[in-house]
Amino acid sequence: MSTSDNSHGLIPWHGTTIIGVKLGGKTVIAGDGQVSMGNTVMKPNARKVRRIGDGSVIAGFAGATADAFTLFERLEKKLEQHRGQLMRAAVELAKDWRTDKYLRNLEALMIVADKDVLLILTGNGDVLEPEHGIAAIGSGGNYALSAAKALVDYEQDAEKIARRAMAVAAEVCVFTNDRVTVETI
């Protein structure tokens, strides 16, 4: 989790690795539990991955916690409005996120998934469906993404790939730990 606004002399919060893997009819989102401020671990067991809506959507976030919870709530409302259609709800949320004066200041990224799609949502209005069913965000995201891409040729279980990729990220990224939360669809 991080806040980039350092205009008030606050030390930025850092951390988070979130990975999504869609493979073999199963989708997994996993995230670490570390929250750091500067070079200090403030919390080792944050829960950055959760089920939303009626439980048919899983989501993980990187960024400011309050911003992420605001986005979770907005996505849940969009899911209700669009009868659980994640792609449609995600596009509508991204539109709002980009154009709404309040929302456009939120600093977070999200990976969301249901049984059909795996998506990355950004404040730039992006709704990205990752190539080959692997997505990662956060400070250790590139480490986890690289590990998962290397593993996919040798492992066919989405959860095993996500867990191993998170372990690799935790070994390399100082803002990522090995206390992983996993949700599966």
Side-chain angles (χ1 to χ4, degrees):
M1 305 198 234
S2 75
T3 30
S4 61
D5 179 11
N6 202 13
S7 61
H8 301 290
L10 299 174
I11 299 170
W13 295 81
H14 288 286
T16 304
T17 299
I18 304 293
I19 187 160
V21 179
K22 183 176 183 57
L23 182 67
K26 185 173 167 183
T27 303
V28 174
I29 296 180
D32 77 311
Q34 183 167 310
V35 176
S36 304
M37 187 168 69
N39 60 2
T40 303
V41 175
M42 299 301 290
K43 184 174 183 173
N45 60 347
R47 192 165 179 266
K48 305 169 199 170
V49 176
R50 61 195 59 230
R51 290 185 176 276
I52 60 173
D54 63 0
S56 64
V57 173
I58 51 178
F61 72 88
T65 306
D67 293 355
F69 285 119
T70 298
L71 292 167
F72 281 159
E73 289 171 7
R74 294 287 182 120
L75 181 58
E76 284 180 311
K77 287 178 185 171
K78 296 294 184 186
L79 284 165
E80 287 174 18
Q81 289 172 359
H82 298 288
R83 295 182 298 271
Q85 296 175 39
L86 179 58
M87 181 64 84
R88 179 85 188 271
V91 168
E92 293 302 318
L93 175 64
K95 284 184 198 175
D96 290 352
W97 194 355
R98 182 169 174 77
T99 59
D100 182 271
K101 195 174 198 174
Y102 167 73
L103 290 179
R104 123 177 104 213
N105 292 317
L106 299 182
E107 295 183 10
L109 293 170
M110 297 173 70
I111 295 179
V112 298
D114 66 8
K115 63 182 181 55
D116 299 316
V117 295
L118 173 69
L119 304 168
I120 299 172
L121 307 180
T122 76
N124 294 330
D126 299 315
V127 177
L128 306 169
E129 192 167 5
E131 187 175 40
H132 306 299
I134 301 171
I137 57 176
S139 58
N142 286 338
Y143 305 117
L145 180 66
S146 296
K149 284 186 172 195
L151 289 167
V152 78
D153 289 337
Y154 304 100
E155 177 60 61
Q156 294 305 303
D157 183 284
E159 184 171 339
K160 286 181 181 177
I161 291 171
R163 285 185 182 278
R164 184 64 190 128
M166 288 299 298
V168 168
E171 291 173 7
V172 179
C173 178
V174 298
F175 297 113
T176 302
N177 70 11
D178 60 0
R179 296 191 186 177
V180 176
T181 302
V182 176
E183 290 287 346
T184 304
I185 295 248

